[in-house]
Amino acid sequence: MNEIEERLPRVLARVSRPGRYCGHEHNAVHKEWGACAVRMVFAFPDVYEVGMSHLGGRILYGLVNQHPDWLMERTFAPWPDMEQAMREEALPLYSLESFRPVREFDVVGFSLQYELCATNVLNMLDLAGIPLLAAQRGDADPLVIAGGPVCYNPEPMAPFFDACLVGDGEEVLPEFLAAVARGRGRPRAERLRAVADIEGVYVPSLYRPEYQADGSLAGLQPLEAGVPGRVRRRVVKDLDAAYFPLSPLVPYLDIVHDRAVLEVMRGCQRGCRFCQAGMVYRPVRERRLSTLLAQAGELLAQTGYDEITLASLSTADYSRIQELVTALVERHGPRGVGVSLPSLRADAFSVHLADQVQRVRKTTLTFAPEAGTQRLRDAINKNVSQSDLLGAVRAAFDSGWQGVKLYFMVGLPGETREDLDGIAEMLKLVRDSGRERAGKRLRITASISNFVPKAHTPFQWEAQVAPDQLRERHEYLRQQCRGLRGVSLDFHQPEPSLLEGVLARGDRRLAAVIYRAWQAGCKFDGWREYLRMDAWAQAFAAEGLDPQFYALRRRPLDERMPWEVIDTGLDREFLQEEYERSRRGEVTPDCRQAGCVECGVCPNLGVALVVEGDDGAPANRV
Amino acid sequence: MHLRIEYEKGREVRHLPHLALVRAMERAMRRACLPVALTAGFNPHLKMSLGTVLPVGVWGRRELLDVELAEHVPVEEVVERLQKVMPPGLHVRRAAELAPGAPALQAAVNAAVYSLGVAEPCAEQEVARVVERVMAAERLEVLSRGKTARVKDLRPGISAMRLRRRAGVLRIEALVAAGDAGNVRADELELALRQAGLDCEVSDVCRAGVYALADGVTHSLLDGKRVDAWNDDWS
């Protein structure tokens, strides 16, 4: 037992949920420190329960630890009460496996899942005793890297990271760690220059942003010969053959998603124009049915979970979903194991699937129409028709489901009052359909979020709608839905959406704002009870930067964007074309059904769509 | 068949709440592929009962849980299969088949031994005096935190108390009433010790075992035999 482990119990006696901080979970990997050439700590900048639900972390944990000479441990953001206790006791941020200070590791890797985790990253670095700015780190400090979707626009956080790894971690992380092993003992600058040669690794210190007089980006200038002008995303070509952890960590504590997770496929082809994930995770790559069934069996045997979830961006689109669900229910159902689907297409087929898997129908089915009129749904390329949705709702209520939840966005490009009326109208139709079948126990919830334009999407040039206007639209909707019995509306606050929007399409100057916000005590910004917009407003003002410039301005089509240093494989022309088609209300079909839509990803990255055919052979390799 | 399993909630996982333990045991049973009986109805779960709750912060050397298996499996095999798949921090010690109609754990447990580690620096003499004071007292009133805060007299619930060194650590140990008829909790015990003048910090709290106490004699809840709970040497 080392010093941290010895001192921990006293500290844990004063905090809530101490189980977050004591490790010893089933399948945690303990390796011999001295015997490992590279030692990495996976740092998730949110609380344990959220971080442990993240599939990417499980994959990388297993993958890295599988390597005989490498080690990966974990650390999470301590909840504010634990942070306070740690600071009072001078206890540094430590890893959950060996209780070592995080600063002793060779690599500290942050998984950036959403923009508002920024201050948590800084807070964790501070608690670890690692200099926050990459420029201030010396040879003895760990390499601090980032991965995850926020790396598709890494610029606002660029000064804090030595490197950002873009794309599928299974591809790029092992190459990165091998380079770290080779570079041991070399000066820091030399090591960073070496990793910049790995495809998918963005080293911010090797680029200098330059700005135009109007404040927009003039460019990101590579500072050394041979440093690529753009960093290309890494993609796992053959997901079926790719590593998948069959003995993942099983936490003691109740976490957000406490089940065995099977990754059915990666990528989504539907091409919804607002969705960054659908754009940057192309192409669809499915796993074979036989592979999934074998993985499911092993996963359940190694974890003892009583529920297995089929994860992907749109699981109902998996080409053999019906067979998969049937086989899983048949094989594992009798032993009391349930299957769950995280998201459903808005059609009756999906409801039929849901019927097969949910043991108890008292829960709620969720659909995401996103917009209230066909016109607007076409503009955002969300392929849901009203008749499909009503058919799904009818099927749900007929099967005995009592609750339906519908996701909508307010603030979409070109949104008019008619579109808001359309939401109310849709809710009324759903309610009427439900009333006939489910009677008084009917529960319809509309979850209304605020549209945030994201980098690398056709809407990346769009202006986000300002908070006060969003609030007006929320109020209008409330009024339109007044008196609709059985329907409840749930609105997302506009201010956090604005902050998210600024960071999502920001440039490197925002790092100073993030730093100030952290200094002012901001943390857990993604949590309503902790977000302090006043502190952020002051941080912006102190740096002379205006949130409106980043989020509320419609950008000219020829503006250089900070995130273009990252090459997702999508042709810029495609995004622009999609933007124009959205203005004309034209739909772009799914390339799995309609053939190539020329987004550029497959030829640019040398990858292909991988879809299982009915006979089990990969049917559609372009 | 009905089985009673004795297990340890290790010192390193003492901060886990009761529910986490229940879940961990359920998963271990599934990993061991034990044919645990399922409850009927829409949402079947394992027929398992963990008896008295071990609170957050307290570890336990000889905790008990009852489980019903749908098929007969030899007891030694159950123990072996479980031991292979237990998570770190939880250890299965032994198990016994329960006779049909044996009283449920909750009802059968009426005594427990608690062991509180005393942190250095600490004068053993001082602690010994505290123990004497507690045992000499006629009443030991503490404000019990429970569901409704109330004043509770712990003294009748404490059968014996002494000091003992284990692996070099000084420990205050007490045989107390547990279960439905008069329960002395670990935190209440600590309160009483503080009120009697204990200044030193408590390094850890352990429930050394749960028992059935009858006529001044402790009996094992696994096999019903007499057992010297007081002199368990923790090997």
Side-chain angles (χ1 to χ4, degrees):
Chain A
M1 216 184 354
N2 66 21
E3 197 210 317
I4 290 180
E5 225 180 331
E6 268 176 32
R7 293 167 58 200
L8 212 48
R10 275 190 68 206
V11 173
L12 295 187
R14 6 204 258 254
V15 303
S16 60
R17 296 202 168 190
R20 289 164 168 161
Y21 313 108
C22 44
H24 291 103
E25 302 97 328
H26 183 63
N27 289 333
V29 176
H30 300 260
K31 288 172 102 167
E32 229 215 276
W33 187 260
C36 291
V38 183
R39 300 169 293 225
M40 176 170 174
V41 60
F42 182 82
F44 198 93
D46 207 325
V47 74
Y48 180 89
E49 293 92 306
V50 174
M52 281 295 286
S53 304
H54 175 56
L55 178 60
R58 285 186 209 184
I59 294 175
L60 295 180
Y61 186 77
L63 181 68
V64 171
N65 278 322
Q66 244 198 351
H67 193 293
D69 302 327
W70 298 347
L71 162 130
M72 183 184 269
E73 301 192 2
R74 301 158 295 145
T75 192
F76 301 90
W79 197 245
D81 61 350
M82 176 63 170
E83 179 197 337
Q84 185 177 349
M86 286 170 75
R87 289 191 190 276
E88 279 164 16
E89 298 286 326
L91 203 64
L93 190 67
Y94 61 89
S95 67
L96 285 179
E97 281 77 1
S98 61
F99 297 92
R100 269 176 206 279
V102 161
R103 65 172 171 257
E104 284 180 18
F105 286 76
D106 302 309
V107 178
V108 179
F110 284 92
S111 178
L112 306 180
Q113 292 300 309
Y114 59 97
E115 291 82 1
L116 297 182
C117 72
T119 52
N120 276 1
V121 172
L122 297 192
N123 212 25
M124 287 171 75
L125 285 171
D126 186 59
L127 276 169
I130 297 172
L132 272 59
L133 291 172
Q136 288 170 350
R137 288 173 204 140
D139 286 343
D141 291 311
L143 291 178
V144 179
I145 68 174
V150 172
C151 290
Y152 285 103
N153 180 14
E155 285 304 288
M157 296 214 64
F160 307 120
F161 290 108
D162 295 304
C164 300
L165 274 52
V166 184
D168 289 339
E170 302 97 322
E171 292 289 301
V172 60
L173 185 60
E175 285 177 24
F176 180 84
L177 294 179
V180 170
R182 282 192 303 270
R184 192 168 218 87
R186 309 305 303 156
R188 198 179 187 86
E190 192 183 307
R191 285 184 279 150
L192 291 179
R193 180 61 192 83
V195 299
D197 286 337
I198 300 172
E199 186 168 56
V201 178
Y202 172 57
V203 178
S205 59
L206 293 175
Y207 298 79
R208 184 183 60 237
E210 282 157 0
Y211 301 95
Q212 314 262 30
D214 67 0
S216 67
L217 191 72
L220 261 174
Q221 191 60 33
L223 295 174
E224 282 184 40
V227 167
R230 299 182 79 196
V231 172
R232 173 173 282 190
R233 142 194 180 227
R234 295 294 293 268
V235 182
V236 166
K237 290 192 168 80
D238 186 354
L239 188 67
D240 191 65
Y243 172 80
F244 192 74
L246 298 175
S247 296
L249 282 157
V250 181
Y252 283 110
L253 288 195
D254 205 6
I255 62 174
V256 176
H257 297 300
D258 207 4
R259 354 185 149 90
V261 180
L262 210 55
E263 189 183 14
V264 162
M265 60 188 186
R266 217 171 269 187
C268 175
Q269 302 295 132
R270 295 189 156 260
C272 302
R273 292 170 179 140
F274 56 86
C275 178
Q276 188 188 59
M279 291 289 151
V280 304
Y281 288 117
R282 297 181 176 213
V284 160
R285 293 148 285 154
E286 294 188 346
R287 277 198 160 96
R288 289 206 154 98
L289 180 66
S290 50
T291 306
L292 290 171
L293 290 175
Q295 285 179 346
E298 188 60 18
L299 202 52
L300 290 170
Q302 292 297 329
T303 58
Y305 273 120
D306 67 349
E307 194 174 327
I308 187 161
T309 199
L310 306 180
S312 76
L313 290 173
S314 76
T315 300
D317 287 336
Y318 176 64
S319 62
R320 297 177 76 182
I321 185 65
Q322 181 62 74
E323 290 169 72
L324 178 59
V325 161
T326 304
L328 286 173
V329 170
E330 250 166 49
R331 284 185 200 194
H332 305 293
R335 283 185 298 131
V337 174
V339 177
S340 70
L341 299 165
S343 58
L344 294 178
R345 263 197 330 238
D347 60 27
F349 170 72
S350 280
V351 178
H352 172 64
L353 275 181
D355 284 348
Q356 279 184 271
V357 305
Q358 302 291 122
R359 285 176 286 184
V360 184
R361 303 250 165 83
K362 63 183 190 309
T363 50
T364 305
L365 276 184
T366 304
F367 303 105
E370 305 293 8
T373 58
Q374 197 59 49
R375 181 202 75 79
L376 189 51
R377 284 195 297 272
D378 286 350
I380 64 179
N381 212 37
K382 180 78 197 203
N383 184 13
V384 169
S385 73
Q386 181 158 291
S387 58
D388 277 347
L389 177 68
L390 290 179
V393 164
R394 234 172 273 132
F397 291 135
D398 278 342
S399 303
W401 294 84
Q402 285 169 31
V404 158
K405 186 172 185 178
L406 299 174
Y407 282 112
F408 290 99
M409 277 186 283
V410 159
L412 287 167
E415 183 175 83
T416 63
R417 181 166 291 198
E418 281 72 39
D419 299 306
L420 298 178
D421 290 339
I423 295 178
E425 176 67 24
M426 196 172 263
L427 290 172
K428 185 172 181 304
L429 286 171
V430 168
R431 194 277 309 259
D432 289 344
S433 171
R435 249 206 197 152
E436 287 167 40
R437 295 160 175 91
K440 282 210 179 110
R441 287 181 309 172
L442 178 70
R443 274 180 347 266
I444 297 172
T445 317
S447 176
I448 320 274
S449 62
N450 306 305
F451 171 59
V452 176
K454 295 275 174 155
H456 301 292
T457 65
F459 292 144
Q460 64 183 11
W461 294 275
E462 264 299 328
Q464 188 170 342
V465 172
D468 54 345
Q469 286 181 45
L470 284 173
R471 237 189 301 278
E472 261 178 48
R473 299 183 195 191
H474 291 180
E475 190 48 43
Y476 178 78
L477 255 183
R478 255 189 218 104
Q479 281 179 21
Q480 295 304 106
C481 294
R482 197 162 304 215
L484 268 185
R485 285 269 202 85
V487 175
S488 65
L489 298 175
D490 172 31
F491 292 94
H492 287 207
Q493 301 273 22
E495 279 75 20
S497 303
L498 176 63
L499 187 55
E500 187 190 326
V502 171
L503 293 174
R505 291 188 297 161
D507 58 36
R508 206 177 281 198
R509 292 172 300 190
L510 288 178
V513 175
I514 296 170
Y515 190 87
R516 279 187 187 268
W518 166 73
Q519 276 183 318
C522 289
K523 65 192 80 180
F524 286 100
D525 296 310
W527 294 70
R528 184 184 267 207
E529 63 264 46
Y530 284 101
L531 177 62
R532 292 176 44 214
M533 289 305 298
D534 55 333
W536 277 96
Q538 276 166 36
F540 276 100
E543 289 299 318
L545 290 172
D546 184 5
Q548 302 209 10
F549 176 81
Y550 292 102
L552 306 185
R553 176 176 64 95
R554 171 169 285 166
R555 301 175 186 227
L557 288 174
D558 61 357
E559 180 167 315
R560 302 287 293 269
M561 309 292 206
W563 53 90
E564 279 166 355
V565 65
I566 304 296
D567 177 9
T568 61
L570 287 168
D571 286 331
R572 197 178 204 272
E573 291 72 41
F574 172 74
L575 291 180
Q576 206 165 308
E577 171 71 15
E578 280 295 296
Y579 187 39
E580 279 153 16
R581 287 172 73 93
S582 104
R583 308 287 266 301
R584 298 194 295 265
E586 283 168 31
V587 164
T588 298
D590 184 328
C591 68
R592 271 178 306 192
Q593 277 93 50
C596 180
V597 299
E598 293 176 11
C599 72
V601 167
C602 293
N604 287 336
L605 301 184
V607 293
L609 200 55
V610 179
V611 173
E612 269 252 89
D614 282 326
D615 58 0
N620 194 356
R621 287 187 186 273
V622 171
Chain B
M1 74 191 276
H2 291 261
L3 271 173
R4 185 160 287 168
I5 298 178
E6 183 184 278
Y7 68 96
E8 175 175 330
K9 175 191 181 188
R11 197 191 296 248
E12 63 272 39
V13 292
R14 64 188 182 271
H15 294 104
L16 294 177
H18 178 76
L19 272 182
L21 232 60
V22 174
R23 261 195 305 270
M25 281 303 186
E26 283 177 352
R27 289 179 195 144
M29 303 265 173
R30 280 191 213 102
R31 289 195 294 269
C33 298
L34 289 171
V36 182
L38 294 173
T39 59
F42 272 129
N43 210 1
H45 49 269
L46 304 187
K47 280 191 178 174
M48 213 179 75
S49 145
L50 254 69
T52 47
V53 170
L54 201 53
V56 170
V58 179
W59 59 289
R61 292 202 83 245
R62 298 186 188 283
E63 293 299 300
L64 299 171
L65 75 89
D66 285 352
V67 64
E68 187 184 327
L69 298 188
E71 290 156 29
H72 188 274
V73 178
V75 177
E76 311 75 49
E77 199 185 313
V78 171
V79 172
E80 209 183 294
R81 276 157 71 171
L82 270 178
Q83 281 174 339
K84 285 203 181 96
V85 297
M86 290 301 283
L90 298 183
H91 314 277
V92 164
R93 290 181 179 283
R94 52 200 180 126
E97 188 169 350
L98 289 177
L105 209 44
Q106 207 96 10
V109 172
N110 70 352
V113 173
Y114 283 100
S115 174
L116 286 71
V118 179
E120 299 291 335
C122 165
E124 188 162 342
Q125 305 257 32
E126 276 303 311
V127 185
R129 272 197 276 276
V130 168
V131 172
E132 275 166 32
R133 248 174 255 141
V134 164
M135 293 312 285
E138 277 183 19
R139 298 177 65 82
L140 275 175
E141 285 178 0
V142 296
L143 189 62
S144 169
R145 252 180 345 159
K147 283 196 175 102
T148 45
R150 59 191 175 93
V151 173
K152 195 170 152 182
D153 179 14
L154 294 186
R155 188 60 189 86
I158 305 178
S159 306
M161 188 182 281
R162 63 162 181 214
L163 280 187
R164 182 162 167 167
R165 275 202 183 267
R166 294 184 188 274
V169 175
L170 186 66
R171 306 191 73 88
I172 303 172
E173 305 199 332
L175 174 62
V176 302
D180 298 330
N183 187 46
V184 173
R185 296 200 321 242
D187 60 304
E188 292 169 345
L189 198 55
E190 196 178 331
L191 257 179
L193 289 165
R194 297 249 173 257
Q195 277 171 210
L198 182 67
D199 276 333
C200 318
E201 241 186 77
V202 169
S203 62
D204 68 282
V205 178
C206 171
R207 183 157 73 189
V210 290
Y211 306 96
L213 179 66
D215 300 321
V217 176
T218 45
H219 297 261
S220 157
L221 284 151
L222 267 187
D223 55 19
K225 296 201 183 116
R226 291 173 63 130
V227 66
D228 190 352
W230 204 226
N231 287 311
D232 181 357
D233 66 6
W234 286 27
S235 54

